[in-house]
């Protein structure tokens, strides 16, 4: 598979910015031995102007697959409550190295996942920030720290990942009150990953009145599941013809063997992806440094879980061939408790999992092979809880679609794809004990890419989109947020020659736009040519 030329295999991370403003000089005619530090146009995390303190939780050089272990101890002079907690990771690397995978746990809870940039000979440095305020319940006490960015260092791959991670706590004040978070953050107990499934248990408080799962789902670690959206049935003859059902994937959460939520995984592309690191050296693909957790509202099922007993949980990636590795789905649970009750009871009123439709067609016209998938799936659950403030009924509805067209020619050149995913989730609360509320999130991911090889010259062209519309109604106001995060670019390099003779060229652009009520706007565009920043424009924000 052309996308698996030895240029990298990795994943994960959060908001990244580094370097100076756009260069005044003209960009070079081609890539040299060094290039600008990687960065994104993503919106920075807003931080309050309140007293703060910083705690370093990791300071380590990753050179193999030995995890860093340590202890987080809360700062005595910054005990909270906090308005915001921000994680900051700074990493530098020089020499030659693939992109690598990273994960950070506190007390067994995954609070951050990241991947790395591929370095120049002179080295690159980048900084990633993540809003981890929702994990405040576990940050009030000492916790074990575990972090791994698996790496291989030898005579060929010389890059060592020098990594530092800090947590900064911004104190709450009258003008900047304490953040509203869950009461508990729980890891999946006894977790074990096997192929496309994660197994474990959860025990929630007996007075739980709201329950949300978050899953950091990624197909990664090399092999065809890193490019799951391009897999085909074995009889097509394609190099990643590994999946009889084709490229459709869906991440499901099951409680006591009953599906409790469905979601579309994001089609991550890491910094060695699609056989062309030159396309990603300076501007990574959306989410390549920001693997976001997918949230599942499990409140309709909470009434079945408040008996104080452990309950079985599975996180299942639908479509992964039996026995196939390559998926990582660490899972946390956010729990809100009814503080005026010692026991909340309830019941699942209805549960509907529609038939998964995956229409796959495979054809050959002349020298062109084509695999097309049209998929759709729906889910609905309704449950009630009897709380201290009355009965609350929660309805969760989810709808997924996927259009995926993959084509390739002789020797897989060209090798191209047009794909789009939609993932719409609506949660409604009603009843005597509830403030009527409707929250809706509509996500859409798009991928349009192609690799060609002509006279040993490999060219990758790519357009990506990460879109989301979020609305909440029923609280006396109707807040909303609209995101459009787009990337477009192309890059070429010569195969089979030393690096100095590759004559690599490439240009790319990322634009990150957010709009909201009352004129809220953030619009940032960055462009690079041959590894040099050519434009950096903040249009509003």
């Amino acid at each position: 598979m052309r996308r698996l030329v030895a240029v990298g295999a990795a994943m994960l991370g959060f908001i990244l910015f580094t370097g100076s403003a756009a260069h005044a000089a003209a960009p070079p005619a081609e890539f040299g031995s060094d290039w600008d530090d990687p960065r994104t146009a993503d919106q920075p995390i807003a931080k309050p102007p309140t007293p703060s303190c910083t705690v370093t939780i990791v300071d380590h050089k990753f050179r193999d697959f030995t995890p860093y272990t340590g202890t987080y101890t809360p700062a005595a002079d910054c005990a909270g409550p906090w308005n915001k907690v921000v994680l900051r990771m700074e990493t530098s690397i020089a020499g030659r190295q693939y992109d690598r995978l990273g994960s950070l746990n506190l007390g067994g809870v995954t609070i951050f996942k990241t991947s790395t940039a591929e370095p120049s000979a002179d080295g690159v440095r980048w900084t990633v920030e993540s809003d981890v305020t929702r994990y405040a319940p576990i940050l009030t006490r000492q916790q074990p720290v575990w972090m791994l960015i698996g790496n291989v260092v030898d005579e060929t791959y010389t890059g060592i990942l020098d990594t530092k991670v800090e947590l900064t706590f911004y104190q709450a004040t009258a003008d900047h009150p304490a953040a509203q978070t869950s009461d508990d953050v729980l890891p999946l107990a006894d977790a074990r990953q096997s192929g496309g499934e994660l197994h474990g248990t959860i025990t929630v408080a007996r007075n739980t009145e709201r329950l949300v799962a978050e899953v950091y789902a990624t197909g990664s670690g090399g092999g065809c599941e890193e490019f799951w959206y391009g897999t085909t049935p074995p009889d097509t003859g394609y190099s990643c013809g590994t999946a009889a059902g084709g490229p459709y994937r869906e991440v499901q959460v099951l409680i006591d063997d009953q599906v409790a939520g469905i979601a579309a995984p994001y089609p991550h592309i890491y910094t060695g992806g699609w056989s062309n690191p030159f396309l990603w050296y300076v501007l990574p693909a959306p989410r390549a440094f920001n693997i976001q957790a997918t949230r599942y509202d499990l409140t309709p099922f909470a009434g079945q879980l408040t008996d104080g007993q452990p309950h079985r949980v599975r996180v299942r990636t639908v479509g992964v061939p039996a026995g196939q590795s390559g998926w990582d789905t660490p899972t946390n649970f956010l729990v809100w408790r009814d503080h005026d009750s010692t026991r909340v009871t309830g019941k699942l009123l209805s549960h509907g999992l529609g038939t998964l439709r995956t229409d796959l067609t495979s054809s050959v016209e002349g020298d062109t092979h084509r695999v097309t998938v049209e998929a759709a799936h729906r889910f609905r659950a309704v449950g009630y809880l009897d709380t201290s403030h009355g009965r609350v009924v929660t309805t969760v509805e989810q709808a997924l679609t996927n259009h995926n067209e993959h084509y390739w020619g002789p020797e897989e050149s060209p090798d191209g794809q047009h794909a789009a995913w939609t993932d719409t989730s609506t949660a409604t609360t009603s009843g005597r004990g509830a403030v009527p509320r409707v929250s809706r999130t509509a996500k859409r991911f798009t991928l349009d890419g192609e690799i060609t090889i002509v006279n040993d010259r490999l060219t990758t062209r790519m357009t990506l989109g990460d879109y989301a519309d979020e609305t909440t109604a029923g609280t006396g106001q109707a807040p909303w947020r609209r995101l459009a995060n787009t990337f477009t670019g192309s890059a070429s390099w010569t195969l089979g020659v030393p690096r100095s003779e590759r004559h690599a060229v490439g240009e790319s652009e990322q634009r990150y736009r957010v709009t909201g009520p009352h004129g809220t706007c953030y619009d940032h565009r960055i462009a690079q040519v041959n590894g040099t920043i050519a434009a950096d424009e903040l249009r509003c924000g």
Side-chain angles (χ1 to χ4, degrees):
M1 184 179 185
R2 295 298 182 183
R3 298 173 197 166
L4 294 182
V5 169
V7 291
M11 68 176 183
L12 322 163
F14 289 82
I15 286 175
L16 179 148
F17 43 79
T18 184
S20 59
H23 290 250
E30 60 183 48
F31 274 87
S33 61
D34 194 20
W35 45 83
D36 283 349
D37 287 339
R39 68 205 68 198
T40 78
D42 296 9
Q43 186 175 20
I45 297 170
K47 306 175 183 71
T50 65
S52 64
C53 60
T54 298
V55 178
T56 298
I57 59 172
V58 177
D59 193 351
H60 188 70
K61 293 180 173 63
F62 291 96
R63 62 182 73 235
D64 54 25
F65 280 79
T66 303
Y68 168 84
T69 58
T71 302
Y72 157 75
T73 301
D77 56 348
C78 202
W82 307 301
N83 173 269
K84 186 160 290 187
V85 184
V86 177
L87 179 149
R88 175 185 174 94
M89 184 187 80
E90 182 174 302
T91 302
S92 62
I93 183 173
R96 178 181 293 184
Q97 195 53 265
Y98 289 146
D99 48 347
R100 300 298 184 181
L101 320 181
S103 183
L104 172 61
N105 299 346
L106 259 68
V109 173
T110 298
I111 69 168
F112 180 68
K113 293 180 74 174
T114 190
S115 71
T116 64
E118 294 198 10
S120 65
D122 292 344
V124 295
R125 179 184 300 271
W126 69 99
T127 299
V128 186
E129 285 194 347
S130 173
D131 186 343
V132 295
T133 310
R134 66 188 182 279
Y135 301 124
I138 66 170
L139 299 175
T140 59
R141 58 190 182 276
Q142 193 173 78
Q143 299 284 1
V145 177
W146 182 97
M147 185 175 188
L148 176 62
I149 306 178
N151 196 14
V152 174
V153 177
D154 55 26
E155 292 181 356
T156 301
Y157 300 104
T158 58
I160 298 171
L161 292 151
D162 189 352
T163 300
K164 184 176 183 179
V165 182
E166 299 175 332
L167 296 176
T168 300
F169 300 84
Y170 295 87
Q171 294 281 57
T173 64
D175 293 332
H176 299 86
Q180 296 183 348
T181 69
S182 63
D183 294 289
D184 305 311
V185 180
L186 306 175
L188 188 63
D190 304 316
R192 59 196 186 281
Q193 187 92 38
S194 176
E197 289 199 7
L198 176 70
H199 299 256
T201 62
I202 181 178
T203 305
V204 302
R206 296 169 67 89
N207 60 344
T208 296
E209 64 175 354
R210 185 185 176 202
L211 178 63
V212 171
E214 54 174 28
V215 180
Y216 287 93
T218 50
S220 54
C224 290
E225 285 303 305
E226 180 170 340
F227 305 98
W228 53 268
Y229 46 81
T231 57
T232 70
D235 60 6
T236 62
Y238 188 64
S239 55
C240 266
T242 56
Y248 183 77
R249 301 291 183 270
E250 173 181 306
V251 181
Q252 299 180 343
V253 174
L254 292 82
I255 296 178
D256 292 332
D257 300 318
Q258 187 173 39
V259 174
I262 63 176
Y266 185 80
H268 298 97
I269 299 177
Y270 313 122
T271 58
W274 283 62
S275 300
N276 210 322
F278 296 98
L279 188 56
W280 321 108
Y281 276 146
V282 178
L283 296 180
R287 299 202 198 190
F289 292 96
N290 182 4
I291 302 319
Q292 301 167 16
T294 299
R295 291 169 67 95
Y296 300 75
D297 193 332
L298 305 180
T299 307
F301 298 83
Q304 302 177 180
L305 306 178
T306 57
D307 56 3
Q309 300 299 311
H311 289 262
R312 295 186 307 278
V313 174
R314 280 193 291 155
V315 181
R316 177 170 65 192
T317 306
V318 174
V320 178
Q324 175 68 55
S325 62
W327 278 86
D328 184 47
T329 55
T331 301
N332 305 321
F333 296 89
L334 310 181
V335 180
W336 285 259
R337 289 183 264 137
D338 181 353
H339 294 279
D340 293 321
S341 174
T342 58
R343 175 74 189 274
V344 170
T345 59
K347 184 180 180 180
L348 181 67
L349 295 172
S350 66
H351 174 273
L353 180 66
T355 300
L356 172 59
R357 177 176 67 86
T358 52
D359 298 330
L360 185 149
T361 59
S362 178
S363 63
V364 180
E365 299 178 10
D367 290 334
T368 301
H369 297 248
R370 194 176 305 273
V371 172
T372 302
V373 171
E374 298 289 346
H377 206 192
R378 301 185 72 91
F379 170 81
R380 186 175 189 269
V382 183
Y384 76 83
L385 292 171
D386 287 327
T387 72
S388 64
H389 43 90
R391 176 165 292 187
V392 178
V393 179
T394 301
T395 302
V396 172
E397 298 173 284
Q398 296 169 304
L400 312 179
T401 69
N402 175 218
H403 166 79
N404 196 328
E405 180 185 353
H406 183 187
Y407 61 91
W408 64 93
E411 298 184 1
E412 299 182 6
S413 176
D415 185 356
Q417 193 160 4
H418 311 291
W421 297 259
T422 67
D423 182 331
T424 302
S425 179
T426 303
T428 304
T429 56
S430 60
R432 296 189 307 274
V435 175
R437 181 185 179 96
V438 179
S439 300
R440 181 178 184 271
T441 300
K443 295 180 285 188
R444 181 167 62 94
F445 317 135
T446 60
L447 183 156
D448 190 342
E450 183 182 80
I451 298 172
T452 57
I453 300 176
V454 178
N455 297 327
D456 291 328
R457 188 74 176 169
L458 184 149
T459 299
T460 306
R461 299 178 179 86
M462 183 66 64
T463 300
L464 302 167
D466 180 7
Y467 306 93
D469 287 342
E470 302 171 0
T471 58
T472 302
T475 57
Q477 53 183 335
W480 58 275
R481 178 180 182 269
R482 177 168 296 165
L483 166 69
N485 185 6
T486 57
F487 174 97
T488 183
S490 66
S492 302
W493 59 286
T494 302
L495 298 168
V497 298
R499 287 195 169 201
S500 60
E501 299 175 20
R502 290 179 178 178
H503 300 297
V505 295
E507 56 184 78
S508 59
E509 172 184 310
Q510 185 205 1
R511 186 177 179 189
Y512 191 98
R513 289 165 286 172
V514 176
T515 53
H518 312 299
T520 300
C521 173
Y522 181 85
D523 188 348
H524 189 189
R525 171 184 172 268
I526 303 179
Q528 69 84 28
V529 177
N530 297 335
T532 299
I533 295 298
D536 190 339
E537 305 167 353
L538 184 61
R539 301 179 180 182
C540 65

